[in-house]
Amino acid sequence: MPRVIGIDPGTVSIDLCGLDDGHVFLDRTLPTAEALADPAAFVAMLERMGSVDLMAGPSGYGLPLIPAAEATEEMFRLAYLAAPGEQGGIGGLRALARALAHSSLPVVFTPGVIHLPTVPAYRKVNRVDMGTADKVCAAALAVHQQRERRGCAAHDVSFLLMELGGAFTAALAVERGQIVDGVGGSAGPVGMRGVGALDGEVAFLAGTVPKSMLFRGGVNAIRAETSVAPEGGVAEGSAPEAGALEASASESFAAPHGGRDELAWNAYMEGIEKAVAMLAVAVPHPYEILLSGRMAHDADVFQELTRRLGARAPVRRLDGFTATAKEGAQGAALIADGLAGGGAQWLVQSLELTRATGTSLDYLYVITPETARRRIGL
């Protein structure tokens, strides 16, 4: 039976989950900044794990299933949607992905939501971020867990998944064991760090929208009471640099008692509530609403969302099978297990991962795919 590893490249942490014949042998998390600072050391750490059959690697916005060793420069640009020298965003993960691709490790890159044939084309119109590859992995864990817990067939699995990360808030809809819709973190509700979906007029007024803008303006910025200058610095006379404030701000909520905390709380909670209502168009009668990610483990957040969402369907946290590694890493390990011929083959088949096609730029009409490709240096 296969020995595999799943990697979840989060904004705050990179998590690792290893399965050997379905049993956990690796359960680890480390700061993303640490891994990005020395990709060679990260690769060496994985090499010390011993022989593995497959690794589901950090795939950014996703690619159709492909061995990392076969990835071209064009594929890396499409997976991370950043031009050379672009500051901010997940572009920094490209160096790590390249290091993995150039190693002898059996790494595979996996799809994002927009690549999946189970999502109707009309839901992809003018969309790019419907859920990054790690969100697909979190949904894979959720499908696996619900099927196991209920003792049902894969085609009986249905849920709405709210992925409440340390930076972004995303949402996925699963019906009959398949992902049928999604709202990615840069296109959805406000996140702890990320601004979420930008009002088109805000984008116009900003003049330019660099990648770094997508990673600020969220809950931590609201609570920090910092105004940011158009060029990304801090307005004269304001608090210290916004990026530093957001990085150091608490990634937890206490019950708010007025002021900016209450403003941030209501924006965050109602944004999640609206995302669930929107995806209920795709899955009107989910069996349950699942909460995953860093913020799902905040007691106040969980209690409030249970109150707000409970009338639609039962609300619960996504139960994983590790003590440390996040849900995305566990799901990535299950996908790797299935691709390597292990017990999770049914999961790969249900999600139709091997039929993933195209790029995340294929459904653009407000700008052309060619314009988008030029923006990332292609």
Side-chain angles (χ1 to χ4, degrees), residues 290-329:
L290 298 172
L291 307 180
S292 68
R294 190 176 303 272
M295 296 308 300
H297 297 279
D298 182 290
D300 287 341
V301 169
F302 180 77
Q303 181 178 5
E304 177 67 6
L305 289 178
T306 299
R307 183 186 70 80
R308 287 176 178 251
L309 304 176
R312 289 187 176 272
V315 178
R316 70 176 187 87
R317 290 188 184 94
L318 176 57
D319 297 322
F321 50 79
T322 63
T324 302
K326 295 199 306 293
E327 297 88 346

XYZ file of all heavy atoms in Angstrom, residues 290-329:
305
model
N -20.008 22.831 7.070
C -18.746 22.515 7.737
C -17.867 23.761 7.834
O -17.800 24.563 6.900
C -18.005 21.426 6.959
C -18.732 20.085 6.840
C -17.982 19.159 5.891
C -18.872 19.442 8.212
N -17.202 23.896 8.959
C -16.250 24.979 9.175
C -14.859 24.380 9.319
O -14.651 23.462 10.112
C -16.605 25.770 10.439
C -18.042 26.293 10.546
C -18.224 27.051 11.858
C -18.394 27.178 9.357
N -13.917 24.888 8.537
C -12.543 24.413 8.638
C -11.593 25.587 8.609
O -11.998 26.733 8.390
C -12.231 23.437 7.486
O -12.211 24.118 6.249
N -10.319 25.317 8.837
C -9.323 26.379 8.841
C -9.032 26.896 10.237
O -9.692 26.547 11.221
N -8.066 27.764 10.306
C -7.551 28.279 11.578
C -8.637 28.895 12.446
O -8.736 28.647 13.646
C -6.453 29.305 11.274
C -5.643 29.779 12.460
C -4.532 30.702 11.987
N -3.679 30.043 11.019
C -2.613 29.306 11.326
N -2.293 29.144 12.591
N -1.886 28.742 10.395
N -9.506 29.711 11.850
C -10.499 30.436 12.641
C -11.683 29.567 13.070
O -12.427 29.939 13.972
C -11.007 31.649 11.856
C -9.940 32.694 11.575
S -9.040 33.207 13.052
C -10.358 33.867 14.040
N -11.841 28.409 12.445
C -12.924 27.509 12.852
C -12.704 26.980 14.258
O -13.648 26.509 14.909
C -13.042 26.348 11.866
N -11.470 27.073 14.746
C -11.156 26.569 16.083
C -11.244 27.659 17.151
O -10.977 27.396 18.321
C -9.769 25.928 16.071
C -9.690 24.741 15.157
N -10.134 23.489 15.525
C -9.271 24.638 13.876
C -9.963 22.655 14.517
N -9.457 23.314 13.502
N -11.618 28.865 16.744
C -11.878 29.933 17.698
C -13.275 29.714 18.270
O -14.259 29.660 17.529
C -11.781 31.289 16.992
C -11.988 32.447 17.946
O -13.129 32.638 18.410
O -11.007 33.159 18.226
N -13.377 29.580 19.582
C -14.652 29.215 20.216
C -15.746 30.237 19.942
O -16.897 29.871 19.663
C -14.449 29.046 21.723
N -15.428 31.528 20.013
C -16.442 32.554 19.794
C -16.914 32.561 18.348
O -18.108 32.734 18.068
C -15.893 33.935 20.169
C -15.767 34.128 21.673
O -16.417 33.366 22.414
O -15.032 35.029 22.105
N -15.989 32.387 17.412
C -16.349 32.344 15.993
C -17.262 31.154 15.723
O -18.303 31.277 15.065
C -15.082 32.266 15.116
C -15.450 31.959 13.661
C -14.300 33.575 15.190
N -16.888 29.998 16.246
C -17.691 28.794 16.018
C -19.088 28.953 16.608
O -20.091 28.605 15.972
C -16.996 27.570 16.616
C -17.757 26.293 16.418
C -17.754 25.660 15.187
C -18.499 25.733 17.451
C -18.475 24.484 14.979
C -19.213 24.569 17.267
C -19.197 23.933 16.024
N -19.186 29.475 17.811
C -20.491 29.640 18.464
C -21.377 30.603 17.677
O -22.568 30.345 17.470
C -20.296 30.148 19.891
C -21.591 30.327 20.658
C -21.348 30.789 22.102
O -20.225 31.067 22.497
N -22.413 30.880 22.867
N -20.798 31.709 17.212
C -21.595 32.697 16.488
C -22.059 32.155 15.137
O -23.216 32.364 14.738
C -20.774 33.973 16.290
C -21.474 35.065 15.491
C -22.678 35.664 16.202
O -22.925 35.322 17.381
O -23.373 36.492 15.575
N -21.181 31.440 14.434
C -21.572 30.903 13.131
C -22.584 29.772 13.278
O -23.453 29.596 12.419
C -20.335 30.435 12.366
C -19.440 31.570 11.870
C -18.212 31.015 11.174
C -20.205 32.502 10.922
N -22.488 29.019 14.350
C -23.506 27.999 14.612
C -24.865 28.653 14.802
O -25.885 28.172 14.290
C -23.129 27.178 15.859
O -21.878 26.515 15.622
C -24.192 26.142 16.169
N -24.883 29.777 15.496
C -26.141 30.499 15.711
C -26.684 31.057 14.403
O -27.884 30.946 14.112
C -25.922 31.642 16.711
C -27.182 32.420 17.070
C -26.878 33.618 17.939
N -26.177 34.668 17.215
C -26.770 35.542 16.407
N -28.090 35.475 16.200
N -26.065 36.475 15.798
N -25.799 31.642 13.596
C -26.231 32.304 12.368
C -26.633 31.317 11.268
O -27.531 31.596 10.481
C -25.120 33.220 11.836
C -24.919 34.497 12.638
C -23.732 35.281 12.095
N -23.520 36.532 12.798
C -23.754 37.746 12.295
N -24.225 37.864 11.064
N -23.521 38.826 12.998
N -25.947 30.184 11.191
C -26.117 29.273 10.058
C -26.963 28.046 10.382
O -27.366 27.311 9.477
C -24.741 28.812 9.554
C -23.755 29.908 9.158
C -22.409 29.294 8.788
C -24.304 30.747 8.007
N -27.213 27.815 11.659
C -27.853 26.572 12.080
C -29.241 26.347 11.526
O -29.691 25.200 11.426
N -29.940 27.417 11.145
C -31.284 27.237 10.598
C -31.252 26.602 9.212
O -32.240 25.993 8.777
C -32.007 28.584 10.540
N -30.142 26.712 8.499
C -30.024 26.144 7.156
C -29.696 24.659 7.193
O -30.209 23.871 6.403
C -28.948 26.874 6.358
C -29.322 28.273 5.940
C -28.280 28.873 5.011
N -28.692 30.183 4.553
C -29.448 30.390 3.463
N -29.863 29.345 2.757
N -29.791 31.607 3.100
N -28.772 24.297 8.090
C -28.323 22.907 8.204
C -27.480 22.802 9.460
O -26.989 23.813 9.986
C -27.501 22.508 6.975
N -27.294 21.587 9.983
C -26.409 21.429 11.139
C -25.014 21.956 10.839
O -24.502 21.778 9.730
C -26.389 19.913 11.347
C -27.657 19.422 10.734
C -27.916 20.314 9.560
N -24.424 22.611 11.820
C -23.091 23.197 11.669
C -22.109 22.423 12.537
O -22.393 22.136 13.702
C -23.094 24.686 12.094
C -21.691 25.281 11.972
C -24.093 25.475 11.250
N -20.969 22.070 11.976
C -19.933 21.437 12.779
C -18.559 21.749 12.200
O -18.426 22.168 11.064
C -20.143 19.920 12.870
C -19.890 19.156 11.604
C -20.028 17.650 11.813
N -19.633 16.907 10.627
C -18.378 16.531 10.368
N -17.400 16.843 11.205
N -18.082 15.860 9.273
N -17.557 21.559 13.020
C -16.177 21.684 12.541
C -15.832 20.455 11.720
O -16.327 19.359 11.983
C -15.196 21.794 13.707
C -15.276 23.092 14.482
C -14.127 23.172 15.480
N -14.210 24.369 16.308
C -14.775 24.416 17.497
N -15.346 23.319 18.002
N -14.808 25.540 18.188
N -14.969 20.637 10.737
C -14.480 19.508 9.965
C -13.509 18.718 10.826
O -12.448 19.214 11.199
C -13.792 20.003 8.690
C -13.139 18.946 7.803
C -14.147 17.890 7.385
C -12.508 19.613 6.580
N -13.877 17.504 11.155
C -13.030 16.658 11.989
C -11.990 15.978 11.121
O -12.320 15.247 10.198
C -13.869 15.574 12.687
C -14.894 16.174 13.627
O -14.564 17.171 14.291
O -16.020 15.658 13.679
N -10.734 16.199 11.434
C -9.662 15.531 10.725
C -9.145 14.348 11.506
O -9.747 13.915 12.486
N -8.003 13.838 11.075
C -7.432 12.661 11.734
C -6.013 12.903 12.207
O -5.295 11.973 12.535
C -7.487 11.452 10.790
C -6.946 11.715 9.407
C -5.577 11.726 9.155
C -7.817 11.949 8.356
C -5.082 11.959 7.887
C -7.333 12.186 7.076
C -5.964 12.186 6.843
N -5.597 14.186 12.242
C -4.275 14.519 12.766
C -4.423 15.440 13.970
O -5.462 16.067 14.162
C -3.409 15.218 11.707
O -4.021 16.473 11.356
C -3.250 14.369 10.450
N -3.345 15.562 14.716
C -3.349 16.456 15.873
C -2.901 17.855 15.500
O -3.274 18.833 16.156
C -2.438 15.894 16.964
N -2.100 17.980 14.436
C -1.457 19.253 14.125
C -1.751 19.754 12.716
O -2.166 20.891 12.538
C 0.068 19.131 14.312
O 0.342 18.724 15.660
C 0.759 20.455 14.038
N -1.502 18.939 11.714
C -1.608 19.375 10.322
C -3.033 19.799 9.979
O -3.995 19.150 10.359
C -1.156 18.253 9.386
N -3.145 20.907 9.239
C -4.448 21.454 8.886
C -5.196 20.544 7.913
O -4.655 19.610 7.336
C -4.281 22.852 8.271
C -3.726 23.905 9.217
C -4.029 25.308 8.716
C -3.566 25.563 7.300
N -2.114 25.570 7.132
N -6.447 20.889 7.711
C -7.341 20.073 6.891
C -6.840 19.916 5.463
O -6.977 18.844 4.861
C -8.747 20.694 6.889
C -9.413 20.740 8.245
C -9.103 22.004 9.060
O -8.150 22.734 8.683
O -9.802 22.253 10.042
N -6.283 20.989 4.900
C -5.801 20.915 3.531
C -4.701 19.892 3.350
O -4.646 19.189 2.330
N -3.799 19.786 4.324
C -2.719 18.804 4.244
C -3.257 17.389 4.346
O -2.795 16.471 3.649
C -1.698 19.061 5.359
